[in-house]
Amino acid sequence: MKRFPAVSTLIVIVAALYFLVPLYATFDFSLRMERGVLSFAAYRDVFQSDTFIATLTFSAIASLVAIVLGALIIVPTAYWVRLKLPKVRPLVEFLTLLPLIIPPVVLVFGYMRIYGNDSFLPLTTTDPGTNVLLVIGYTILSLPYMFRAVDNGMAAIDIATLTEAAESLGASRMRTIRTVIFPNVRSAIMSGAFLTFSISLGEFVMASLLNRPAFGPYLVQMGQDYAYQPAALAIMAFGVTWASMALMQLFATRKPGQRLFPRIPSFTPRSVKP
Amino acid sequence: MSFLTLEKVSKSFGTNTVVKEFNLGVRKGEFVSFLGPSGCGKTTVLRMVAGFETPTAGAITIDGQDVTRLPANKRRIGMVFQAYALFPNMNVYDNVAFGLKISGMDKSAIDRRVKDMLDMIALGHLADRYPYQMSGGQQQRVALARALAPQPQVLLLDEPLSALDAKIRVSLREDIRNIQRELGITTVFVTHDQEEALSISDRVIVMNKGRADQIGTPAEIYNRPKTRFVAEFVGTLNMFEARVTDASTNRLSLAGRDIAVPSTNGAALTNGETITLALRPEALFMQEQQAGDIALEGRVQHFGFHGSIIRAKVAVNDQTICVDMFNQANFTMPNVGENIRLYFSPADALVLAA
Ligand SMILES: Nc1ncnc2c1ncn2[C@@H]1O[C@H](COP(=O)(O)OP(=O)(O)OP(=O)(O)O)[C@@H](O)[C@H]1O
Ligand SMILES: [Mg+2]
C-alpha cells in the first residue's frame, strides 16, 4: 500500500496557486479593456502600436547578435580550456559568472566612462556605436548561461579523443572545431541561446541607460502610462519565455539525424544525410 | 629497410620517464603488436608515432622521412581508438568520408571510396546510421574504415577490441588482420591481451616499464623468452630452482636429477650458481615421450576438464605445477591424491637468468 503523500501534494498545490493565481488575475484583467465584455482589445491595441513592433524588433535583433557573438567567444574558449588548460577551468567559470554578481548598472557606467565623449573610442556619441555597446553588454549578460550550457555539452562528448581522431584524418584545429566540435555542442548552444534570448529581450537597465529604443524600456513606459495593455504585454512576454524554454527542451533532447518535426512518410527523400 | 622506425625514442612527463630509449623497425606491410602490462607505455609510444605527443628525445621516421616534429594532421596516419571515437553528429557515410573530404577529393571519387570501404567491412547497408544506433563492434568497424579510407601510410590501433565482448573480439581481430593483409598496410596494434597479440601479429614487442624487453615472432616470444619478465608475462610458466653443476656443458641439477639443457637462451652460466628453469604447462607429460626425458614425482591436486584440454595441478616437492594435456578418449585420468610421474624433455626447459 502506497502512502498518500499528503504533505508533498499540499506543497505542490500551494506553490501552483502562488504561481497561477496572479497569472490568471493578470490574464483576466488584460481581457477587460472594453467595459462589460471579455475581449482581446488590449492585445489588438498593443499589436497596432508601431512602437511595439519597432522596439520588439530592435531587441530581438540585438539579442540574436549577442547570442551569435557569445557562441563565437564561448565555444572556442570552452573547447580550448577543456582540451589544453583544464586547470584554469574554475577560473574561467568564475569569470563567466561575474555578470550575475556585478549589476548591469556598473557595467553600463563603465562603458560610458570608457567609450564616452572624450575617449579614444567614442562609441556612445553615435547610434550605431551605442548599439554595438548594447550588443556587447547583452553578450556579457549571456556568458554565464552560454558557458555553462556549452561546457556541459562538451563534458558529454569525449572532445579530446574526437579532436585526435579528426587530426589523424588530416583536419586542422579550425576545421575540427567547425565540423566536429561545434555540431556536437549545437544543442547546448541552443539552450544557452534561448535562455539568453528570453533574458535580453526584455532587458531594461542597459537599454534604458544607453537610451536605446528597446523592448524593456517600452514595457516600463507602457506600465506607467496605461492599465490594460501592460497586462496583455506581461502575458505575451510570459508566453515568449515559455516558448523559448520549450524550444530549448526540444533542441536539447534531439539526437543527430532526427528531425525537429516528424516527416510526412510519402514525402520521404531517399537519402537522409543531414 | 624499415618503413617505420623509432630510434632511441624517450618520453618524460615531468620527472617521470615513461618511455626509455625505445628502438623499433617495422617493415612495410608488417603487423606488429605492443604487448605489456598496464602503464608500461604502449599508448605513449603509439601516440608519439601518431603525433599526439612529442618525444623528449629520439627520432621517428616513416618511409625515410623524419616525422618527429610533424603535426599529427600532416602525418597520414590512420588511428583506431579503444572507445571508437566516431563523430556523433555524422552518420556512417560521413564519418568514413571525413578524411577524404579534407584531402580535397572530388565528390564522386569520395562516394566510390566510401562505398568500397563500407563493403570491405560489410556494413554497406548501414551507411545512413548514426553511431548511437550501432553496436560497439559495428562502430569499431566503421572506425577502422574511417581510418583506412584516406590511405594512410601507417595504421595504429590502441586496444581497439578491449571494449567488446569476447566473441566479437575474436572475430573482429581476424577481420582486422585480413583487411590489413589485403591492403598491405603497415600496422601497429596495442593490446594487453597476450593471446590477441600472439595470434594475429607478424612480430610482437613485449614492453616492460617503457622499454622493449623482447621483439620477435609470436613463436620466438612464447618459446624462447629472452627475459624473465617476458617469460612470466606471456603464457603460464612453472619455475624450478636448479643449480649449475658444469657450465661448459650446460649441466644442471634439479631436485637431485642431472639435466643437460641444449640451450641457455643466451644466459652465461657459472658453476655453482642457482638459476631458474621454466617449463610451459604443455611441456609436461604423464607418459614418457622419448628416451632421455626427465621424470618428476608428484601428487595430483586437481583435475580440470576443459574439453579439448585437461588442466591438472600437481604437487611436486613443495611446489604446485600446472600441466596441460590434450584430451584423449582412451586416457584414464588419475584420481586426485594419486601419485604420478611427470616427464619433460630438457630441450623444452627454459633457462631464465636470475
Ligand atoms: N599526459 C600524461 N601526463 C602524465 N603522465 C602520463 C601521461 N600520459 C601517460 N602518462 C603516464 O605514462 C605511463 C604510461 O602510460 P600509457 O598510457 O602509455 O600506458 P599503457 O601501456 O598504454 O597502459 P594501459 O594498458 O593501461 O593503456 C603511465 O604511468 C601514465 O601514468
Ligand atoms: Mg594504453
Side-chain angles (χ1 to χ4, degrees):
Chain A
M1 184 67 190
K2 216 158 127 189
R3 199 173 61 89
F4 185 65
V7 179
S8 359
T9 311
L10 192 71
I11 291 173
V12 168
I13 290 175
V14 170
L17 286 179
Y18 182 80
F19 180 72
L20 291 173
V21 167
L23 192 66
Y24 173 75
T26 307
F27 181 60
D28 184 70
F29 183 71
S30 74
L31 298 178
R32 292 181 187 277
M33 191 161 115
E34 287 173 345
R35 193 173 289 270
V37 286
L38 292 179
S39 76
F40 284 100
Y43 294 82
R44 214 177 303 125
D45 211 58
V46 165
F47 274 110
Q48 275 162 2
S49 147
D50 289 342
T51 334
F52 170 77
I53 305 289
T55 55
L56 188 62
T57 311
F58 180 88
S59 283
I61 291 172
S63 307
L64 288 177
V65 177
I67 285 165
V68 172
L69 207 59
L72 286 178
I73 293 170
I74 286 298
V75 173
T77 306
Y79 171 67
W80 203 250
V81 166
R82 272 198 174 262
L83 197 62
K84 298 278 175 189
L85 306 163
K87 282 196 195 109
V88 304
R89 211 178 121 249
L91 178 70
V92 174
E93 195 166 16
F94 174 74
L95 283 178
T96 61
L97 284 179
L98 282 181
L100 292 184
I101 302 163
I102 299 172
V105 185
V106 177
L107 188 69
V108 178
F109 275 109
Y111 280 167
M112 291 206 260
R113 280 196 66 89
I114 297 174
Y115 303 109
N117 284 329
D118 45 313
S119 95
F120 66 102
L121 195 64
L123 285 176
T124 55
T125 54
T126 62
D127 271 0
T130 323
N131 288 346
V132 168
L133 278 184
L134 184 73
V135 165
I136 292 174
Y138 284 179
T139 306
I140 287 179
L141 280 191
S142 81
L143 292 184
Y145 313 101
M146 272 295 182
F147 182 80
R148 305 214 131 222
V150 169
D151 193 55
N152 282 341
M154 285 191 185
I157 54 170
D158 183 355
I159 59 162
T161 312
L162 288 181
T163 301
E164 286 176 357
E167 268 181 18
S168 71
L169 293 165
S172 63
R173 268 287 146 77
M174 271 318 293
R175 191 171 183 129
T176 305
I177 293 181
R178 190 162 51 80
T179 57
V180 176
I181 303 302
F182 220 90
N184 280 306
V185 293
R186 193 155 46 196
S187 58
I189 295 172
M190 284 312 250
S191 55
F194 284 117
L195 272 173
T196 305
F197 189 75
S198 60
I199 285 162
S200 49
L201 193 66
E203 198 281 333
F204 172 72
V205 178
M206 286 194 192
S208 135
L209 288 176
L210 290 171
N211 197 20
R212 293 292 78 209
F215 193 54
Y218 166 77
L219 282 183
V220 173
Q221 192 60 46
M222 290 293 282
Q224 285 167 1
D225 300 350
Y226 299 91
Y228 297 99
Q229 285 87 338
L233 281 168
I235 293 296
M236 283 193 281
F238 181 80
V240 169
T241 306
W242 277 84
S244 291
M245 296 295 162
L247 282 174
M248 193 173 101
Q249 207 54 36
L250 200 61
F251 276 101
T253 52
R254 192 167 61 122
K255 291 242 168 69
Q258 250 176 15
R259 305 251 156 165
L260 201 47
F261 304 103
R263 276 175 297 173
I264 302 161
S266 58
F267 283 77
T268 309
R270 253 311 291 140
S271 155
V272 285
K273 263 166 253 153
Chain B
M1 181 54 197
S2 297
F3 186 72
L4 165 68
T5 65
L6 286 84
E7 273 170 62
K8 292 198 170 176
V9 170
S10 300
K11 177 73 188 177
S12 309
F13 294 106
T15 56
N16 183 16
T17 304
V18 299
V19 177
K20 293 160 198 149
E21 307 221 327
F22 191 90
N23 290 304
L24 176 66
V26 185
R27 287 185 295 276
K28 195 168 172 63
E30 197 180 11
F31 189 115
V32 302
S33 294
F34 290 172
L35 175 63
S38 185
C40 71
K42 307 180 294 287
T43 298
T44 306
V45 174
L46 204 72
R47 290 171 58 80
M48 288 192 284
V49 175
F52 302 141
E53 305 278 4
T54 315
T56 316
I60 300 171
T61 63
I62 298 174
D63 199 11
Q65 191 201 356
D66 188 329
V67 299
T68 317
R69 312 271 147 192
L70 203 65
N73 58 354
K74 301 270 185 293
R75 286 199 190 187
R76 302 222 295 124
I77 289 225
M79 182 93 191
V80 176
F81 301 86
Q82 181 176 343
Y84 326 133
L86 293 179
F87 305 128
N89 57 312
M90 299 178 202
N91 62 18
V92 168
Y93 184 100
D94 290 329
N95 263 285
V96 178
F98 187 85
L100 302 172
K101 283 181 190 154
I102 288 167
S103 72
M105 213 184 231
D106 71 70
K107 252 202 157 82
S108 60
I110 290 180
D111 197 55
R112 253 176 287 130
R113 178 90 184 137
V114 172
K115 297 226 161 87
D116 285 350
M117 298 315 286
L118 292 182
D119 286 344
M120 179 187 82
I121 55 163
L123 286 180
H125 57 295
L126 297 185
D128 291 337
R129 289 271 185 96
Y130 282 83
Y132 73 92
Q133 297 166 323
M134 291 188 297
S135 73
Q138 290 171 333
Q139 289 189 56
Q140 198 57 297
R141 274 146 76 191
V142 174
L144 180 68
R146 178 181 69 175
L148 289 171
Q151 295 180 296
Q153 294 188 294
V154 178
L155 177 65
L156 307 175
L157 306 104
D158 192 357
E159 307 206 20
L161 308 173
S162 302
L164 303 170
D165 69 57
K167 242 197 176 126
I168 305 283
R169 205 147 61 206
V170 172
S171 76
L172 190 51
R173 81 180 183 212
E174 251 119 63
D175 289 347
I176 291 175
R177 179 56 160 149
N178 290 336
I179 288 168
Q180 184 272 337
R181 269 213 191 92
E182 209 167 291
L183 301 178
I185 184 166
T186 313
T187 301
V188 182
F189 184 97
V190 165
T191 179
H192 57 239
D193 180 336
Q194 41 156 316
E195 194 215 321
E196 210 166 273
L198 295 176
S199 64
I200 59 173
S201 315
D202 292 321
R203 284 190 299 157
V204 176
I205 295 96
V206 182
M207 287 185 63
N208 178 24
K209 298 198 187 113
R211 284 180 209 279
D213 252 33
Q214 186 172 358
I215 302 179
T217 63
E220 281 167 4
I221 297 282
Y222 188 82
N223 294 329
R224 294 280 152 221
K226 281 226 179 76
T227 67
R228 194 185 187 106
F229 172 82
V230 175
E232 286 177 25
F233 188 73
V234 180
T236 313
L237 273 186
N238 298 303
M239 313 252 207
F240 303 92
E241 304 244 295
R243 202 166 42 77
V244 180
T245 50
D246 184 357
S248 60
T249 53
N250 293 342
R251 292 202 98 78
L252 311 167
S253 160
L254 168 71
R257 278 173 194 76
D258 187 38
I259 306 170
V261 290
S263 150
T264 63
N265 210 11
L269 304 181
T270 46
N271 282 341
E273 169 195 32
T274 301
I275 54 131
T276 303
L277 206 59
L279 281 169
R280 296 284 183 201
E282 67 273 21
L284 288 152
F285 299 90
M286 285 198 217
Q287 292 101 9
E288 192 166 7
Q289 304 292 302
Q290 57 194 17
D293 277 1
I294 311 295
L296 299 168
E297 313 279 338
R299 179 201 294 271
V300 177
Q301 286 181 324
H302 175 79
F303 253 97
F305 188 76
H306 297 266
S308 65
I309 66 161
I310 295 161
R311 186 155 288 171
K313 298 244 186 290
V314 181
V316 174
N317 300 331
D318 50 358
Q319 228 180 320
T320 298
I321 304 298
C322 191
V323 183
D324 284 356
M325 295 162 283
F326 275 117
N327 178 29
Q328 282 165 331
N330 58 3
F331 175 70
T332 44
M333 285 194 261
N335 296 316
V336 171
E338 206 173 302
N339 286 324
I340 57 159
R341 286 180 153 211
L342 294 172
Y343 299 88
F344 69 91
S345 155
D348 288 334
L350 299 166
V351 175
L352 299 179

